[in-house]
Amino acid sequence: MEIRRAQLAEAESLANLFLRSFRSALPTVKLAHTDDETRQWYRDHLLPETDTWVFIREGKIVGFISLSASTVEQLYVDSRETGKGVGARLIETAKQIRPKGLSLATFAVNIPARRFYEKHGFKHVRSTDGSNNEEHEPDVYYEWKPTKE
């Protein structure tokens, strides 16, 4: 297994992993964009504009995390890899890369993700009605700050 920076040539693979993972984890949430629009956004925006890391197992990308200055923009794990430590390794990598703290948002209906973030030290800071996201789904915002030793 390996964690390394994503390459632009992997944009389509990451978009496809996102699409599979999203549909598996959130079957009641309608995506705001077509699959092709999503793939283009990954290629033209997500990879060039974020610090994206991939988790490789047996030569395949099974998860990734994308970071902006202090925000987890994306964290997705192949549904067949859920519960095998992929997300935990990616979130720990993010904490090492951004040691001053991180924030993120997840949909309120994504209870497994909310439990995951809380287990990894993220604190709920606010909730919204979803009017500020393209899917119009209620959000839950979290923050992680390092503990002072």
Side-chain angles (χ1 to χ4, degrees):
M1 99 185 129
E2 169 191 15
I3 295 177
R4 63 162 172 76
R5 283 185 190 267
Q7 301 167 7
L8 186 57
E10 296 168 321
E12 186 168 350
S13 294
L14 296 182
N16 289 337
L17 189 154
F18 159 76
L19 291 165
R20 288 190 311 273
S21 177
F22 189 98
R23 289 182 173 124
S24 175
L26 299 165
T28 63
V29 178
K30 185 178 183 321
L31 285 165
H33 299 280
T34 67
D35 291 3
D36 286 340
E37 289 170 337
T38 298
R39 289 182 190 100
Q40 181 178 355
W41 183 80
Y42 267 69
R43 183 186 65 244
D44 296 345
H45 297 284
L46 185 76
L47 282 171
E49 296 169 6
T50 66
D51 190 9
T52 300
W53 295 77
V54 293
F55 188 107
I56 309 288
R57 180 176 285 152
E58 297 176 7
K60 290 182 63 178
I61 298 173
V62 296
F64 70 93
I65 192 165
S66 296
L67 308 170
S68 61
S70 62
T71 303
V72 175
E73 299 292 342
Q74 304 262 308
L75 172 57
Y76 286 95
V77 175
D78 187 296
S79 59
R80 296 169 294 212
E81 297 288 331
T82 302
K84 297 181 181 178
V86 175
R89 290 284 307 275
L90 288 167
I91 207 73
E92 290 307 315
T93 298
K95 288 177 178 180
Q96 292 171 8
I97 294 167
R98 303 289 192 270
K100 293 182 180 179
L102 291 164
S103 62
L104 61 87
T106 191
F107 295 125
V109 298
N110 197 348
I111 302 301
R114 293 173 61 185
R115 286 187 188 130
F116 170 83
Y117 292 124
E118 291 166 6
K119 176 182 174 183
H120 290 279
F122 285 77
K123 305 293 183 209
H124 175 257
V125 292
R126 76 182 195 284
S127 298
T128 73
D129 63 3
S131 59
N132 291 327
N133 68 55
E134 293 179 310
E135 293 80 10
H136 303 292
E137 285 286 326
D139 285 317
V140 180
Y141 286 80
Y142 287 94
E143 287 183 352
W144 167 77
K145 300 285 184 200
T147 56
K148 301 207 186 330
E149 296 179 19

